[in-house]
Structure formats: C-alpha cells, structure tokens
Amino acid sequence: MVRRVDQDRNRFRQIVRGSIRKNLRKFISRGEIAARAGKKKVSIPLPQIQLPRFTFGSNRGGGVGKGEGEAGEPVEGQGEGAGEAGEQSGDHTLEVEVTLEELAKILGDELELPNIEPRGHKQVSADVRRYKSIRRVGPESLRHFKRTYRQALQRQIASGTYDPDNPIVVPEREDRRYRSFQISQEPQSNAVIIYMMDVSGSMGTEQKEMVRITAFWIDTWIRSQYKNLEVRYIVHDATAREVDQHTFFHLKESGGTRISSALELAEGLIEQFYPPEDWNIYPFHFSDGDNWSGGDTAHCIRLLEDRLLPSVNQFSYGQVKSAYGSGQFKVDLDAHFGESPDNLVTAEIPDREGIMDAISEFLGKGR
Amino acid sequence: MSLTAELVALKEVVEGYARGYGLDFFDTYYELLDLDQLNEVASFGGFPVRYPHWRFGMQYEELMKGYQWGLSRIYELVINNDPCYAYLMRSNSLLDQKLVMAHVYGHSDFFKNNMWFAGTNRKMVDQMANHGTRIRKMIDRYGLTKVETFLDACLSIENLIDIHAGAIRRTRAKTEEQIEEDELTTGSRVKKLESKDYMDRYINPPEYLEKQKKELDDEVERQKQFPPDPVRDVLLFLIDHGNLAHWERDILSIVREEAYYFAPQAMTKVMNEGWASFWHSKIMTEKALVDSEIVDFADRHSGTMATAPGQLNPYKLGIELFRDIEERWNRGQFGKEYEEEEDYAKKLAWDTSVGQGRQKIFEVRRIHNDVTFLDTFINQEFCEAQKLFVYRKDPRTGQMVIASRDYRLVKEELLGMFTNRGQPTIDVLDGNYLNRGELYLIHRWEGVDLRQDFAQETLKNLHRIWKRPVHIETIVEEKAQLLSFDGESVESQELTPTGDE
C-alpha cells in the first residue's frame, strides 16, 4: 500500500538531491563529502533545506539547569542548556544520508557524465549463489520456520489432530523445511583503479588533499558503473611502492621524482593480477609535474605508448599545481601524444575549485 | 487498526480510574499502529491526513533515523480533538500500553479544560483533511512548484501570530464615525472646563489645553496611519491587506489556522506534560499496577523524567511543580499569613491541614499557561528542592558556569525562555512605509538577537507574499538595525537612536 507520507518523502528526497546538485561544486571543493564518507552512505550537512524563520540566535548565553554545585562552578555536562523551549531547536543543521550510488547519480547528472561502456570481451561470468529454494534436508541454522510451521499445520489438519481451541502445532521430522541455494551464472564486469601519486618533497598537504578529494569522486563514479571494483595505491618519489589507502593519502616523503618508477610498478601489477581481457583498468597518476630528467620523461612516454595504453581503458594524468612544481610533465605528454591515443587524458588541477573540471575531464569520455 | 480485546478491556479499566480521580476528558479513541505507521502519523503532527508537504517526509526520515540509532522513540501521541485520538504502538508491552493510556487521559483532560485551548477547533482531524483536499486541488490546478514555493514562504512566517489574540483586544475601539467626528472638530474640540473669566487661566491653563490639543491631533494623525496600531497577528494582516491571488490567500489562511491550532500546545508544554505525567504516575502507582510490573514501571517513568546534569526536562519541571502546588495547598502554605512569615524553618514546617491541594491543581490546569504557571508558583523552596540554577557563559573561559541559585533569577530566565513560546515577538508597524506600500516590521527586542542568516531568508519569503519591499527593525549586537529586502538583495542599515517610528 502506498502510504501518504511516501509522497512527501519522495518530494523531500528530490529536494535534497536538487540541493546537493546545486551545491556540488562547493561540496567538492571543500572536501566535505569526501571526509564524511562511510562504507555505503555519506551524510551531508544541508542547512538550506530547513524552512527559515524569525527565530532567536545563539547569544542568550545562558539558561536554567538542574543539579549540584555552587555559584561560579562550571555546569556539569555543560554545553546545551534548556534553551530549546520553543518548538524549533536552535542550531540544528540537517544531516541527510545519501547512498554512494545516489551521489554518483547526482555527480553524473551535474557533470553530464556518460555511462561507461565496458570493453566488450571483458564480460566474464561468475558463479553466483543465491538462497532461493527449499529442501527437506539441511542444517538447523537454515531452517525455514514459516514453511516448517505451515507444513506441520497442514499435516495436523489433514490427520485431524489439530484442535482449534488448543492450537498447538508440533512439527515432526518430515515437516521440516530448509533454505537452500542455487548456483547461477551471471555476467560480471570487473574494474580496477590504480592510483599513483608523486609524494616527493614538492607535494604538500594541500596537494594531497586535492588528490584525495578527486580520488573520492572518481571512486564514487566508477563504483557506480561496475559491480566489482578494486583499488590499488602506488606512491613514488625516485622509487615506487604499493601502499594501502591510508598511507597513500598521509605519507610524506621527500626526495627526487622518477615518474617511470610508478608506471613500471603499475604495469607490473596489471600483468600479474589484471589481465586486460578480464578487467577494465583505470590508472590515475597525480603529480605536480616535476620529473627527474627529460630522459625519464621519454622513458615514461615509451612505457605508456608500448605497454600501458594498449591494455587500459583510460590512462589519466592529473597535474596538481604546487608552489615548487614546474608542471613540465603535462606539457611533455601533451606535446608527444597530442590528440592521437584517445585513451590518455591529462588535466590540470590548479586549486580546489578546479577539481570538478578535472573530474569531468577524466570521466567525460565514458570509457 | 482497532484495539485487541485485551486492550479494549484495559482501556475500560484505566478510563474508569481516570474518571475516579475527577479527570474530565473527551471520548478517547485509541489506534494500534506499527512503528512505521506511528512515525508516519507523528510526522504529520498526529493527524492521519495533512496537506502534502516535503517537511513531513523530512520529519518521517528523522524519526525513523532516531529510532534506528536508538536515540528516541515515540511513546505516546495524542491529538487535541473531540473525540480525542491517541495512538499505541503494537510492539509495546502491556505495561507500556497501560502507562500510555494513563498518560493520555491526562492530556485529554488538559485539552478539554485548559482555557488556552478553549478557542481551538475540536474537529481539527476533519479540518486538516479539508486543508489537504484544498491544497491538493490547488496543486492540480496551478502546479506543484508554484503552490509549494508559496506554501514554503507562508510556513516560514507561521510563527508570526498573536498567541493572546483570544484574550486581548489590541486595537483601540474607535468607530469610523468617531474618527470622522474627531477630524471635523479638530481645533475646537478640546473641552474647556466652565469657569469665570478671571479664573480661566488657572482652571484651564493654556499649556494644558495646548497639550490636549496636540494629543488629539496626534491621534488623528495616528488614525491616518496604516495600520493605526501595531499588529501582532502578521499573518492576518497579510491576509487582509496583502496583494494576493485567491489561492494564495487560501494557503495563507490554512497555515494561519493551523498555527493557531498548535499554538496552545507550545504555550503549555511544561504544564501539559507535567499534568499528564502527574496523572499517569497517580493512576499507575495507586490503582493500575500489579506487583510484577512495579520495577518496569519505575524504569519507564524515571526514563521520561530523567534530567541530564545541567539541563532541564519540561516533563520533570511540570510534574514536580504540580506536586509541589498540591502539597502546598494541602498544608495551607499560601496566603498573606504564610507569605509574611519570616522564619524560614517555620515556613518549611507550615501545616494547617486545609487539604485544598487537589482542588487547587485542577484550578491551575484550567487557567494557567506555562508563563503564568512558572511565574506564579516557582518560589525559593521549590528551586532549592529541585536544585535549579541559572548558568551563564564565563566570558574568560567560554565555559558555562553556575551564576546563581536565587529563585527570582531562575524564574526570570525561565520566563524569558517561555515567553511567546520561545519565539521572537514581531509586529507590523507600517504597511505603507515611505508611502510606497512597503512593509515595515519591528522586532520587540528583549535581550536576544535574531538569527541573522535565517532572518534574511525569512525576509525573502515575506517579500514573496507581500510582493513589495519588506523591512524589519531589530537590534543586532546592541545596535538598532533595519534589515531590508527589495526583491533583489538584502541590505542592512544602522538606525540612529532617534528613529522615526
């Protein structure tokens, strides 16, 4: 049955989505959402959904409390007092929970992102187990109570042992029913994101924060497009190594920069774990554009051209602006590749405001 | 869903107890609801049918979330209507249902007898459904966005009503003819007292006559103003004088009507909850409980009455004050003799056994609202027994510290919190400001500033209704300010203290 309140709820959700969409650029640049993301949901503070009123501000600066203590002593459990006598409480920002899928949809709508078309032959089928049938034997932990009861009731009625005035139903061995699974084949598409980041001395906290925010939105979008998403993290200065997510965003290294080291490691990962026939592969590399030498850049270009680009869906390079970086790498890449291999995307992220444009650049091609 | 046979029997019993104590309530009907149904009804403010609006959906989500996180659950829900409707949650234990019923009869009695509720529509369930139909029709006719936008604007000012409208006549009663006559006789109408010529200077001093004339002139001028007296019922002023389409006026009337319906509940929160808790406690402990339920009852009851350290629980404040009043009137602790007794110990031990307590609390529930209730009955003894104090922010440390336990200060602070339901008092001062049809409101500042971001947004909504520039005079950080919205941008300008209001 459709409840009356559902209509109002839908309208509310609609307003929430609209409001998030309107403020998306702000949310993205502030990193607010990325910082609040849980596993499946994000809670987003949306003050503007409340109906505004003429109401008191917060400078009452006191109130009435109850408890022990002498004048001059701090109030136990201080903070809020009884200032909420009216029907509306004072400072109460509305927190709305939005699933990551919903958020991805909002992002997609706002940036007009095309859906990703997985490369044809990367559809693998996998065995999926679903509990959707019933058997007469099975472990007690899977006993289907209702079916068992119904079976027992049927038998008792049929055999005339059921007494409506004393409706006790006792299941016997043959009444028992158990849940059981069936195996079916379902097509599955897998994707992997390989994040690489330059953590050399010139990448500061702010640059890493920008990378983190960008990565969050990329994750959210690609996750909405694939059932199975794996994420790998590589950091590099002059040498590269694989790390976990936390380390990726918090590591502070210093030293030189050899971008090819990261590309080599990524290439190795792909070769070892992610055969291109089975996987959709998305490497993202972030740096401030400084590289050790022109020689290494040339090496990178060769690596990209020969090994990486043919096997990945799209290789993305995001150049974060820092006070020390020269920004040369992007220039070199663009000069060499120009428009030709269309699965290489480069974007510049000058500041937080630029994150949104970079995201739309990266994800705008629908690969 | 209707009640199970067991609950019907329980209802009969509890209702009998309640009547036995002299509670006088509307016929009370219970509905048995599941959690999500209960939350649905609760998000509609207790009504099964309201007009469609997203904030009900928002409230529903918040209630569900509060329940899932274990922060809150709704125990009782009862609406002021004749017959009175109340809801029980299906999954509650029998003890809970008993407790809720006992509580509900307290509320029902309060709704029926408290004089602040006298003017409320007792067929509000029907009226709300009617409002729903009207607004649904408008949506069909004019489109959701248009109706919703206007409804949002109206809801944004729904607190600007005159909660004492039923009791106070604010406009000076002057008929049109009187005003006209006044105008005709200007100048010659100052009545002189009869006197001999040589005494005239003393009996009718010229300065006095001059003053009288000026007052009358001012009055004539004042009558020319629009409105002649400040209007507190801002919604009514907009309905009467706003440049509104028929459907807009209808929406505004609906919002105003509902605001007046709900206002007494906000005005008597402490009393109403205190009264219901007083009676559920009496009924349960003296009559309805069986031995095996005592512990669970104590647990539920203390859960509702719990006051976190440093805070205030309206249920607790209300029940304790009612109990205190009953005790005081039972022991004769009132009247001139008692008040004038100076020996504190003697006052505490005072007992004339007059036994007027029960009678007194029934009278109190009839004539008071929260403000008068707290003002009349809070005294030093009560504050001490309840350990009430006033706290203030220490400007040095930013910490809240106990400022005083003096009952006069406690009372003053409480009254500040409850005056006008904790809402700012705002009047229409001029509906034709600068002779340009602009609306000029004044916030009667009483110590607390308006929340600025909200005030600006509300002004915009007000503009949507008035359709001409709108202004509100208020005080921000101790300076008089005029906040204005002309349809494009919000501006604030400092007012010079002499102001020309």
Side-chain angles (χ1 to χ4, degrees):
Chain A
M1 195 189 98
V2 180
R3 295 174 309 165
R4 286 180 191 277
V5 78
D6 285 335
Q7 190 192 348
D8 297 333
R9 274 174 89 191
N10 289 338
R11 181 70 192 134
F12 171 61
R13 306 294 309 175
Q14 221 176 329
I15 291 171
V16 166
R17 275 196 294 272
S19 169
I20 295 176
R21 210 178 134 168
K22 217 168 75 195
N23 293 291
L24 194 64
R25 195 169 279 273
K26 196 178 83 199
F27 283 131
I28 289 180
S29 61
R30 282 206 210 143
E32 245 171 302
I33 295 183
R36 286 163 166 273
K39 266 209 152 58
K40 288 200 175 124
K41 287 182 172 176
V42 242
S43 67
I44 302 174
L46 286 173
Q48 63 275 37
I49 293 211
Q50 274 173 305
L51 286 166
R53 275 157 209 272
F54 288 124
T55 171
F56 290 127
S58 54
N59 68 341
R60 190 186 286 277
V64 176
K66 183 177 163 80
E68 306 288 344
E70 297 288 315
E73 284 179 27
V75 179
E76 236 186 298
Q78 62 129 328
E80 270 178 275
E84 301 186 358
E87 46 177 344
Q88 257 73 39
S89 52
D91 261 343
H92 166 88
T93 317
L94 184 71
E95 296 248 337
V96 212
E97 276 199 343
V98 179
T99 59
L100 286 177
E101 282 124 70
E102 235 175 312
L103 195 59
K105 198 170 171 303
I106 295 168
L107 179 75
D109 286 351
E110 184 60 20
L111 296 182
E112 298 181 344
L113 297 179
N115 282 330
I116 291 177
E117 237 177 83
R119 288 195 281 177
H121 57 288
K122 282 175 191 154
Q123 299 277 351
V124 251
S125 42
D127 289 345
V128 182
R129 291 171 175 203
R130 288 244 161 85
Y131 283 94
K132 52 185 187 186
S133 71
I134 295 287
R135 287 186 196 187
R136 281 162 168 271
V137 287
E140 289 306 306
S141 58
L142 290 178
R143 191 174 64 216
H144 195 305
F145 184 84
K146 204 168 166 185
R147 291 280 189 107
T148 304
Y149 171 81
R150 208 159 66 193
Q151 211 62 39
L153 186 64
Q154 268 175 11
R155 178 183 47 76
Q156 285 197 0
I157 290 172
S159 63
T161 54
Y162 180 75
D163 174 10
D165 294 328
N166 182 26
I168 293 176
V169 174
V170 185
E172 290 179 2
R173 184 81 201 98
E174 70 265 24
D175 297 329
R176 297 198 181 165
R177 294 294 180 272
Y178 302 88
R179 291 181 174 83
S180 132
F181 59 76
Q182 281 183 335
I183 296 174
S184 59
Q185 295 254 316
E186 278 186 15
Q188 212 166 16
S189 48
N190 303 318
V192 59
I193 302 177
I194 303 172
Y195 289 116
M196 291 164 270
M197 179 164 53
D198 173 6
V199 289
S200 64
S202 53
M203 291 282 286
T205 323
E206 176 60 19
Q207 280 73 28
K208 287 202 194 102
E209 180 65 16
M210 277 153 64
V211 173
R212 197 176 69 88
I213 296 168
T214 315
F216 168 78
W217 289 98
I218 291 169
D219 261 22
T220 305
W221 177 250
I222 295 185
R223 206 174 286 278
S224 75
Q225 302 282 317
Y226 291 102
K227 242 186 191 155
N228 263 356
L229 180 70
E230 279 192 29
V231 186
R232 306 292 284 252
Y233 300 92
I234 294 172
V235 294
H236 73 93
D237 45 18
T239 56
R241 65 198 163 97
E242 196 187 352
V243 293
D244 62 22
Q245 186 183 16
H246 182 85
T247 322
F248 183 76
F249 292 115
H250 295 89
L251 194 68
K252 176 86 188 160
E253 300 275 276
S254 59
T257 313
R258 222 156 48 79
I259 294 176
S260 65
S261 65
L263 297 185
E264 272 165 10
L265 186 58
E267 204 256 319
L269 279 180
I270 293 171
E271 196 161 316
Q272 202 181 344
F273 299 105
Y274 308 107
E277 332 48 285
D278 295 344
W279 289 83
N280 294 282
I281 304 168
Y282 298 92
F284 285 86
H285 181 234
F286 299 96
S287 94
D288 56 6
D290 260 344
N291 203 3
W292 182 257
S293 64
D296 190 62
T297 301
H299 182 45
C300 289
I301 289 173
R302 267 200 308 284
L303 266 174
L304 280 171
E305 214 160 16
D306 300 344
R307 313 297 300 262
L308 282 166
L309 289 179
S311 57
V312 303
N313 289 39
Q314 176 178 307
F315 186 95
S316 317
Y317 173 67
Q319 188 158 287
V320 192
K321 189 165 182 159
S322 83
Y324 312 102
S326 62
Q328 188 58 37
F329 193 64
K330 181 174 184 297
V331 177
D332 292 342
L333 280 186
D334 291 344
H336 181 82
F337 288 104
E339 294 293 312
S340 56
D342 59 0
N343 63 345
L344 175 82
V345 177
T346 63
E348 198 162 358
I349 313 177
D351 49 28
R352 287 188 180 210
E353 307 297 318
I355 293 175
M356 189 138 149
D357 298 323
I359 293 171
S360 108
E361 193 84 27
F362 289 149
L363 303 175
K365 297 205 167 173
R367 299 182 172 281
Chain B
M1 204 187 114
S2 51
L3 297 186
T4 60
E6 194 180 23
L7 287 174
V8 171
L10 189 64
K11 180 195 158 184
E12 293 301 318
V13 173
V14 178
E15 195 172 313
Y17 294 146
R19 258 187 235 292
Y21 281 111
L23 292 182
D24 164 31
F25 37 81
F26 295 124
D27 270 351
T28 303
Y29 291 98
Y30 293 91
E31 297 252 355
L32 200 55
L33 298 181
D34 289 327
L35 168 76
D36 53 340
Q37 293 171 319
L38 187 68
N39 280 345
E40 176 180 7
V41 173
S43 55
F44 289 140
F47 290 86
V49 184
R50 293 285 291 270
Y51 54 79
H53 192 258
W54 55 267
R55 81 177 188 289
F56 301 131
M58 177 168 85
Q59 270 151 15
Y60 180 81
E61 300 230 328
E62 285 193 345
L63 285 171
M64 284 310 251
K65 218 183 283 170
Y67 182 80
Q68 282 157 7
W69 292 348
L71 294 176
S72 63
R73 59 188 282 203
I74 295 168
Y75 257 109
E76 37 103 14
L77 191 57
V78 47
I79 49 181
N80 166 28
N81 194 72
D82 182 14
C84 187
Y85 290 101
Y87 303 93
L88 299 173
M89 183 142 80
R90 191 192 307 277
S91 60
N92 276 348
S93 70
L94 202 60
L95 168 72
D96 284 324
Q97 313 290 31
K98 209 191 279 187
L99 175 61
V100 170
M101 284 180 185
H103 192 85
V104 160
Y105 288 114
H107 280 309
S108 187
D109 168 83
F110 196 88
F111 290 149
K112 185 173 172 187
N113 294 292
N114 183 275
M115 69 168 213
W116 296 95
F117 283 87
T120 56
N121 184 349
R122 309 294 190 170
K123 296 287 173 208
M124 202 57 185
V125 171
D126 304 340
Q127 189 62 1
M128 288 280 190
N130 173 348
H131 291 170
T133 313
R134 268 150 75 188
I135 290 192
R136 277 190 186 90
K137 272 191 187 149
M138 286 180 217
I139 290 174
D140 289 346
R141 192 143 178 205
Y142 304 103
L144 175 66
T145 326
K146 210 167 161 186
V147 173
E148 190 184 59
T149 313
F150 193 77
L151 188 53
D152 283 356
C154 296
L155 289 168
S156 166
I157 54 163
E158 72 175 341
N159 56 342
L160 304 188
I161 55 172
D162 183 358
I163 53 169
H164 297 112
I168 293 181
R169 199 180 175 92
R170 291 197 193 276
T171 50
R172 294 177 222 186
K174 265 210 172 172
T175 59
E176 295 283 325
E177 296 89 69
Q178 274 176 316
I179 295 168
E180 262 172 43
E181 189 166 325
D182 281 354
E183 278 175 43
L184 284 175
T185 55
T186 313
S188 64
R189 72 213 143 101
V190 177
K191 289 203 179 78
K192 282 171 113 182
L193 293 173
E194 254 180 70
S195 64
K196 301 247 163 59
D197 276 356
Y198 70 95
M199 284 295 282
D200 192 50
R201 211 148 58 86
Y202 301 102
I203 288 179
N204 295 309
E207 315 85 73
Y208 175 75
L209 290 181
E210 202 50 41
K211 205 171 138 227
Q212 287 269 297
K213 182 169 177 297
K214 188 171 179 316
E215 267 173 28
L216 285 167
D217 286 346
D218 285 351
E219 174 67 18
V220 171
E221 274 312 299
R222 205 180 56 80
Q223 290 294 346
K224 283 186 199 153
Q225 272 180 19
F226 170 63
D229 294 292
V231 175
R232 183 145 303 170
D233 192 337
V234 180
L235 289 181
L236 181 63
F237 184 83
L238 294 172
I239 291 171
D240 285 346
H241 306 292
N243 171 20
L244 298 169
H246 181 72
W247 65 273
E248 290 177 324
R249 184 162 285 126
D250 199 23
I251 289 183
L252 200 49
S253 312
I254 287 174
V255 168
R256 176 170 175 269
E257 196 180 335
E258 296 190 2
Y260 270 108
Y261 169 80
F262 284 115
Q265 299 186 28
M267 289 166 70
T268 57
K269 184 143 182 72
V270 172
M271 282 187 81
N272 204 341
E273 291 303 350
W275 183 251
S277 302
F278 180 92
W279 286 109
H280 84 227
S281 167
K282 269 263 183 291
I283 292 173
M284 293 299 272
T285 54
E286 289 180 4
K287 306 273 188 197
L289 282 176
V290 295
D291 296 355
S292 63
E293 293 171 334
I294 291 279
V295 173
D296 284 337
F297 166 75
D299 180 49
R300 299 286 193 287
H301 180 73
S302 58
T304 349
M305 296 301 139
T307 307
Q311 301 199 354
L312 202 67
N313 177 344
Y315 287 68
K316 177 73 175 166
L317 183 63
I319 190 177
E320 291 300 344
L321 200 47
F322 270 118
R323 282 177 174 165
D324 188 55
I325 295 167
E326 186 179 35
E327 167 95 6
R328 268 149 67 187
W329 261 260
N330 273 340
R331 296 164 55 141
Q333 294 182 340
F334 59 90
K336 186 168 186 289
E337 232 173 291
Y338 171 77
E339 296 298 337
E340 285 176 358
E341 175 61 59
E342 292 193 351
D343 186 341
Y344 193 58
K346 260 193 194 164
K347 265 185 126 169
L348 281 182
W350 191 284
D351 190 356
T352 56
S353 308
V354 288
Q356 294 176 10
R358 191 55 57 84
Q359 189 194 337
K360 182 68 184 175
I361 57 172
F362 273 92
E363 174 198 307
V364 168
R365 77 97 159 74
R366 201 173 67 242
I367 61 177
H368 283 280
N369 62 38
D370 280 349
V371 170
T372 60
F373 179 61
L374 299 170
D375 189 23
T376 313
F377 297 107
I378 286 190
N379 59 15
Q380 186 64 32
E381 293 86 336
F382 180 78
C383 278
E384 265 166 38
Q386 293 301 315
K387 299 180 178 151
L388 298 182
F389 57 77
V390 176
Y391 62 83
R392 287 269 173 271
K393 198 176 199 166
D394 184 335
R396 245 173 348 102
T397 59
Q399 229 180 2
M400 292 296 180
V401 294
I402 298 176
S404 168
R405 288 187 178 273
D406 185 330
Y407 84 98
R408 282 163 297 196
L409 296 178
V410 169
K411 189 190 277 187
E412 194 176 302
E413 189 72 28
L414 281 173
L415 294 182
M417 274 159 49
F418 286 98
T419 298
N420 195 27
R421 307 156 293 154
Q423 310 273 348
T425 307
I426 289 168
D427 294 343
V428 177
L429 209 58
D430 196 342
N432 188 22
Y433 181 55
L434 301 175
N435 201 18
R436 291 198 298 223
E438 301 181 5
L439 185 66
Y440 193 104
L441 303 183
I442 183 165
H443 166 216
R444 308 288 182 189
W445 192 84
E446 284 156 337
V448 189
D449 295 357
L450 294 180
R451 190 176 147 173
Q452 287 301 300
D453 55 339
F454 266 31
Q456 298 188 0
E457 291 305 310
T458 313
L459 265 191
K460 290 181 190 167
N461 282 336
L462 193 59
H463 179 270
R464 198 163 276 155
I465 299 169
W466 186 248
K467 301 183 175 83
R468 292 280 306 146
V470 287
H471 312 268
I472 183 165
E473 181 183 329
T474 180
I475 292 181
V476 181
E477 286 165 0
E478 296 172 10
K479 288 187 188 116
Q481 283 213 333
L482 186 66
L483 203 61
S484 310
F485 181 69
D486 60 3
E488 278 172 13
S489 61
V490 179
E491 267 160 44
S492 81
Q493 127 199 21
E494 215 166 287
L495 291 174
T496 42
T498 45
D500 56 352
E501 50 153 290

